[in-house]
Amino acid sequence: PRGGGGARGGGGARGGGGARGGPRGRGRGRGGGARGGARAGFKGGKKVTVEPHRHEGNWDGLGYTGRDWDGLGGDWDGLGGTGGCPLPGVFICRGREDALVTRNLVPGESVYGEKRISVEDGDTSVEYRAWNPFRSKLAAAILGGIDQIHIRPGAKVLYLGAASGTTVSHVSDIVGQDGVVYAVEFSHRSGRDLLNVAKKRTNVVPVIEDARHPHKYRMLIGMVDVIFADVAQPDQTRIVALNAHHFLRCGGHFLISIKANCIDSTAPAEAVFAGEVKKMTAERMKPQEQLTLEPYERDHAVVVGVYRYWVVLGCTGPPPKEK
Amino acid sequence: MYIGSKSVSVNLVLFKIVCCGFFPLQVLNEKKLQEVDSLWKEFETPEKGKETAFLVFLFYTASTALVEGKLSKNLKKILKKIVAKDAHEQLAVADAKLGGVIKEKLNLSCIHSPMVTELMRGIRSQIEGLITGLPSREMAAMCLGLAHSLSRYKLKFSPDKVDTMIIQAISLLDDLDKELNNYIMRCREWYGWHFPELGKIITDNLMYCKCVRKVGDRSNFASSDVSDILPEELEEDVKAAAEISMGTEVSEEDINNIIHLCDQVIEISEYRTQLYDYLKNRMMAIAPNLTVMVGELVGARLIAHAGSLLNLAKHPASTVQLLGAEKALFRALKTKRDTPKFGLIYHASLVGQSNTKNKGKISRMLAAKTALTIRYDALGENTSAEMGAENRLKVETRLRLLEERGIRRISGTGKALAKTDKYQNKSEVKVYDPSGDSTLPVVSKKRKIQEVDEQDTEVAVKAKKFKAEMKGWLLYLCCCHVIVCIVSVPQLVLLCLT
């Protein structure tokens, strides 16, 4: 029983609703200061090209890579490290403005309202999703020039602090159908959104549990290759260590995003990062790289390291403690 | 991606995969367990892993009990069996709480140490090789299913709170209406070929179809009894018209086809009423407060327009007021005109029952309270409808006040009737502005505020001067005229005299 359309404000068409959703999504991005990122430049119909992410190997950022701690020539992964380190699964889209993109596992679907780019590849078209470095610490680290994220197609990733699943969706794009992402999130509100993301993507296993108690979700997770932690808790190193002891394989890697304010808001950021690094080495986690997320976040750093590295070296145990 | 918790006995390793069951594994080489740090080496390859532990048997259990560290029935049974077989064994558990519980209930001594954790790691990494007869894809699928069901259990997901049903139901309702309309029009047209007068007499569609279905060919009208479908006067009219109808004759087959169509129409109509009932029930279950505020249909349309109840809850009240009027809104914003005052909310009963003047105000008030109820429904924990009832009462009171304001004066004694303004026709008639005709530069009529006073005085002075001048001229002219008259009159007189 619909009335006549006369006084319905001119008989509004339902199709106009799309226009209202879009700007609001972009407006959220505009909220936190100068956010241009991947959204600003892409008008429909312009010619864009997508190429794999590759940056020069020699970098002079902070951190441990490039310095030869154990005399192995700095080649941790056997990928031939000095001449340009590609990050497999991550691409750069060049058009009027450049953007970091990942290949969409579920073409046609946008997870959090991000821009999608379709590129013709012969007679098929491949869809990529833009990755916003202001919303994702991993994207900020990649754009900051991190050497290796170790998250590659086919990897098994344990993601602590998955929140609503925005970065988890990009990690799931990178690992592809062969890999698995175990997303752990404790909050129920975000958990609901995470569950919806997991419904669409079959390589995401949602776990709504406290990451402090890995034994509570031990039946859901196998051994993983990489742990990514974005939990923002004061005892986050202990949390990651506990999860690593349970689930991370020997020689596996971890990426921890450290927010200095969260650990100790009175100490200077560098001191906080150094303290965290020390805690890590005590737990058989060897840090390899540290990178600040400078233009995208303030007083944040990402530390990449390896777990039980002596396995890689072929040794029987940890090196003897120096006197 | 398999795994449950693992209870490891020094000789017997009980490995639980909760998605498929418990797997007890037997540790073959005890000595190796002593060296904790090198334990990882034993599990480097599947073959080596097999040497160290092998599968005994497997069975099912409940995972939620495991999460909380409690003992489920199946687990108890299995452990009892183990106890019966090797009572002197020690059981190692990954979860200390579970170990304590097992020890209490079954008197089986449990250990929990770094050695156990190492053993677990090893088993976990070689789980595929250790458990034969289970392809990894199936394990992956089982694990995913288990994760989803555990998460839903945690989030207290209830299937009757899913708003997708509402959105689909309201879309189906719209589709059904369209289809029904099409079919009915077709039926009328087709049967009208045979009996055109029936279409004019019976206006109600369902009655028409039922009638056609019952009677068929118009010659049967006289003999058949349609009193259960039609009221009496109509029945008489129909029977009379059937005698003198000017429609053509049609064959049996044609009538059969028309009757099939009528069957369809009647079926769809019945289904539509059923669907509407279903929608009402669902709306009450999912968003009771919203239903109380604006009604089921409008509420369902709002949810469908926004995409989901949660999305609708994120909209501010002004958006809720204008949902559905986007075309008019953006057109007005682009051309800098007045924006529309209501969208889908126009069809709510509260807005419908107010005067045209007050519709805008009521729609704004209703949208404000409705936004609150939507948020309460989407994100709140209880499912009662009291909040909606209170808010509706508030809006109704305001509506009554607004309407009475037009009848009674607010200030003064309150009993005097307010004077109504004299009616003034405020029609906007656009007049052609001829100033655009001339291309000569024209002094702009718009002046700034500071200059206005000066200009005014200047103008006043000028006007005065002009007036004075004019007066002077007039006076002069009058005088001239008078003199002329005076001069002429005597001349005339003289002329006449002479």
Side-chain angles (χ1 to χ4, degrees):
Chain A
R2 278 190 251 170
R8 274 178 71 196
R14 304 266 159 88
R20 304 196 83 219
R24 205 167 298 117
R26 286 193 180 80
R28 243 185 290 132
R30 225 172 273 131
R35 291 180 185 214
R39 292 210 195 97
F42 290 106
K43 307 286 181 225
K46 286 270 155 36
K47 192 89 176 101
V48 294
T49 53
V50 176
E51 57 188 49
H53 174 88
R54 178 172 281 272
H55 69 89
E56 294 314 308
N58 261 343
W59 61 293
D60 47 17
L62 314 164
Y64 302 95
T65 313
R67 279 189 259 178
D68 220 345
W69 286 113
D70 296 281
L72 285 187
D75 189 356
W76 289 110
D77 296 289
L79 289 182
T82 46
C85 314
L87 292 180
V90 182
F91 305 92
I92 294 189
C93 177
R94 300 201 184 275
R96 222 163 73 171
E97 288 192 16
D98 299 346
L100 192 68
V101 295
T102 55
R103 184 171 174 159
N104 202 354
L105 197 69
V106 187
E109 295 270 345
S110 201
V111 173
Y112 53 100
E114 73 277 17
K115 183 98 188 180
R116 286 173 290 125
I117 300 151
S118 269
V119 172
E120 298 301 313
D121 187 20
D123 52 348
T124 54
S125 83
V126 182
E127 198 178 68
Y128 297 91
R129 287 189 306 130
W131 202 355
N132 185 358
F134 288 96
R135 280 181 77 165
S136 167
K137 308 259 178 8
L138 191 54
I142 294 176
L143 286 177
I146 204 166
D147 210 21
Q148 269 295 344
I149 54 172
H150 304 291
I151 299 176
R152 55 172 61 95
K156 298 190 181 26
V157 181
L158 174 61
Y159 195 117
L160 303 174
S164 299
T166 50
T167 309
V168 171
S169 66
H170 284 287
V171 173
S172 139
D173 283 344
I174 296 178
V175 301
Q177 279 297 353
D178 301 326
V180 191
V181 182
Y182 301 98
V184 178
E185 170 58 40
F186 192 36
S187 145
H188 284 211
R189 292 263 178 276
S190 308
R192 269 182 259 266
D193 294 333
L194 182 64
L195 217 56
N196 284 330
V197 169
K199 267 188 225 167
K200 292 274 169 61
R201 287 155 185 276
T202 50
N203 62 354
V204 175
V205 174
V207 179
I208 314 291
E209 277 296 343
D210 191 354
R212 286 195 177 86
H213 305 124
H215 62 89
K216 288 206 171 163
Y217 47 90
R218 65 192 189 269
M219 67 287 279
L220 298 170
I221 304 186
M223 288 307 254
V224 295
D225 302 320
V226 189
I227 293 186
F228 181 88
D230 188 10
V231 290
Q233 295 284 321
D235 57 342
Q236 66 183 52
T237 319
R238 190 186 61 90
I239 296 175
V240 176
L242 212 51
N243 277 280
H245 293 326
H246 269 83
F247 305 120
L248 189 57
R249 66 170 171 85
C250 297
H253 295 87
F254 56 90
L255 285 96
I256 309 185
S257 151
I258 307 176
K259 180 173 170 175
N261 258 352
C262 181
I263 313 279
D264 185 354
S265 53
T266 53
E270 292 74 18
V272 171
F273 300 146
E276 290 300 299
V277 164
K278 242 205 308 202
K279 282 189 220 166
M280 282 178 218
T281 37
E283 298 269 3
R284 296 185 282 184
M285 290 158 61
K286 179 176 146 128
Q288 293 176 305
E289 267 187 80
Q290 177 182 322
L291 175 72
T292 55
L293 303 181
E294 222 2 68
Y296 308 106
E297 308 272 358
R298 201 147 53 122
D299 291 338
H300 275 72
V302 163
V303 174
V304 185
V306 65
Y307 181 61
R308 295 215 203 166
Y309 65 97
W310 59 82
V311 174
V312 177
L313 301 178
C315 308
T316 48
K321 296 245 159 44
E322 284 145 37
K323 297 244 166 74
Chain B
M1 53 223 93
Y2 347 94
I3 326 285
S5 76
K6 298 172 226 201
S7 307
V8 174
S9 80
V10 174
N11 270 343
L12 201 61
V13 177
L14 183 67
F15 180 71
K16 299 175 213 161
I17 298 185
V18 183
C19 49
C20 356
F22 289 102
F23 294 88
L25 296 163
Q26 192 164 33
V27 173
L28 293 177
N29 201 333
E30 271 185 57
K31 260 200 298 185
K32 297 213 168 139
L33 288 174
Q34 309 304 329
E35 306 146 40
V36 178
D37 286 330
S38 60
L39 214 50
W40 60 267
K41 257 188 158 183
E42 302 302 317
F43 290 94
E44 258 189 312
T45 59
E47 292 80 34
K48 272 194 156 180
K50 274 212 173 111
E51 283 172 31
T52 328
F54 86 96
L55 196 59
V56 174
F57 55 97
L58 77 120
F59 37 83
Y60 290 89
T61 189
S63 51
T64 47
L66 214 55
V67 167
E68 287 145 35
K70 293 198 216 126
L71 216 53
S72 70
K73 277 190 299 183
N74 281 336
L75 181 52
K76 244 197 214 169
K77 261 197 287 181
I78 301 315
L79 286 176
K80 276 197 189 143
K81 270 201 215 159
I82 295 180
V83 170
K85 274 209 300 191
D86 314 286
H88 59 282
E89 299 295 341
Q90 274 187 309
L91 202 62
V93 277
D95 184 5
K97 241 183 19 171
L98 186 61
V101 170
I102 292 180
K103 181 151 193 183
E104 269 182 51
K105 302 263 176 91
L106 299 170
N107 258 336
L108 202 55
S109 61
C110 299
I111 40 174
H112 177 62
S113 68
M115 180 265 287
V116 171
T117 330
E118 283 305 311
L119 199 55
M120 298 299 191
R121 277 178 66 94
I123 296 177
R124 197 191 288 276
S125 46
Q126 295 306 333
I127 184 63
E128 250 175 12
L130 289 172
I131 297 177
T132 52
L134 254 187
S136 67
R137 294 201 120 234
E138 273 190 35
M139 294 252 257
M142 277 194 279
C143 201
L144 193 61
L146 180 66
H148 273 273
S149 42
L150 264 182
S151 312
R152 284 194 185 174
Y153 168 76
K154 268 264 152 174
L155 294 176
K156 294 185 188 56
F157 170 88
S158 61
D160 56 338
K161 280 231 155 201
V162 175
D163 53 6
T164 332
M165 306 296 146
I166 300 271
I167 299 171
Q168 299 298 333
I170 192 81
S171 310
L172 181 59
L173 206 62
D174 290 341
D175 284 342
L176 277 182
D177 279 336
K178 277 202 200 108
E179 285 306 309
L180 204 54
N181 196 34
N182 277 346
Y183 285 5
I184 286 174
M185 291 295 123
R186 178 64 53 209
C187 184
R188 274 180 185 264
E189 215 183 304
W190 199 350
Y191 195 70
W193 202 240
H194 174 58
F195 187 5
E197 291 79 6
L198 189 65
K200 292 193 192 77
I201 298 172
I202 305 183
T203 43
D204 184 49
N205 292 326
L206 203 56
M207 232 190 273
Y208 186 92
C209 289
K210 282 191 183 153
C211 201
V212 168
R213 187 157 164 269
K214 187 148 191 204
V215 177
D217 199 295
R218 71 168 180 256
S219 44
N220 301 339
F221 257 110
S223 46
S224 60
D225 176 29
V226 285
S227 53
D228 52 342
I229 308 174
L230 301 173
E232 282 192 15
E233 333 76 58
L234 279 186
E235 202 183 334
E236 285 172 23
D237 286 337
V238 162
K239 292 207 167 146
E243 309 287 319
I244 51 172
S245 171
M246 53 177 168
T248 55
E249 298 295 323
V250 281
S251 70
E252 190 67 37
E253 253 185 62
D254 303 329
I255 288 289
N256 278 340
N257 274 317
I258 298 177
I259 289 179
H260 276 311
L261 179 58
C262 292
D263 281 336
Q264 283 295 315
V265 168
I266 292 167
E267 223 182 280
I268 294 182
S269 296
E270 281 167 8
Y271 177 57
R272 193 201 174 280
T273 38
Q274 221 182 21
L275 187 64
Y276 187 57
D277 279 333
Y278 165 76
L279 181 66
K280 275 200 280 202
N281 288 335
R282 276 258 152 267
M283 273 303 287
M284 260 332 256
I286 292 181
N289 295 290
L290 177 60
T291 320
V292 165
M293 284 298 290
V294 291
E296 294 94 5
L297 262 188
V298 176
R301 281 194 206 282
L302 284 172
I303 295 178
H305 195 279
S308 82
L309 189 56
L310 200 58
N311 269 352
L312 186 61
K314 293 182 189 171
H315 288 317
S318 52
T319 306
V320 172
Q321 186 183 352
L322 293 178
L323 270 182
E326 284 86 6
K327 189 167 164 200
L329 175 68
F330 288 112
R331 185 178 63 211
L333 285 174
K334 279 194 197 145
T335 55
K336 304 209 177 163
R337 290 206 300 250
D338 285 340
T339 52
K341 291 188 277 292
F342 19 64
L344 288 167
I345 259 200
Y346 186 78
H347 299 277
S349 55
L350 277 174
V351 177
Q353 59 184 234
S354 51
N355 317 341
T356 323
K357 277 193 307 170
N358 296 334
K359 276 204 211 291
K361 291 202 177 125
I362 291 296
S363 107
R364 188 187 62 231
M365 285 184 230
L366 186 63
K369 292 298 178 198
T370 310
L372 289 175
T373 58
I374 291 170
R375 284 169 208 162
Y376 186 73
D377 279 332
L379 303 160
E381 298 300 327
N382 355 351
T383 51
S384 66
E386 328 165 323
M387 192 232 185
E390 278 173 32
N391 281 347
R392 193 188 168 102
L393 204 60
K394 282 189 197 154
V395 181
E396 279 173 353
T397 346
R398 294 290 291 282
L399 172 61
R400 219 175 306 128
L401 271 178
L402 261 185
E403 294 193 339
E404 284 174 11
R405 205 176 275 238
I407 310 171
R408 295 199 162 276
R409 200 189 274 271
I410 306 297
S411 60
T413 57
K415 289 192 186 159
L417 287 176
K419 272 196 228 149
T420 52
D421 293 333
K422 184 173 175 185
Y423 171 74
Q424 272 181 353
N425 186 13
K426 290 200 179 91
S427 67
E428 262 195 37
V429 179
K430 293 222 161 92
V431 181
Y432 179 69
D433 183 13
S435 63
D437 288 339
S438 148
T439 52
L440 296 171
V442 120
V443 175
S444 161
K445 290 199 177 113
K446 274 193 178 176
R447 294 189 200 117
K448 295 206 181 112
I449 297 174
Q450 285 97 354
E451 292 176 308
V452 158
D453 293 340
E454 292 177 0
Q455 295 268 10
D456 269 345
T457 49
E458 267 187 50
V459 165
V461 162
K462 274 193 187 158
K464 274 192 187 159
K465 270 195 191 163
F466 184 71
K467 273 193 191 158
E469 272 189 52
M470 284 314 292
K471 273 193 186 158
W473 268 109
L474 273 169
L475 207 55
Y476 176 69
L477 279 171
C478 291
C479 294
C480 291
H481 272 284
V482 162
I483 293 170
V484 164
C485 293
I486 294 175
V487 163
S488 54
V489 162
Q491 274 188 345
L492 279 168
V493 166
L494 275 170
L495 271 170
C496 295
L497 283 176
T498 53

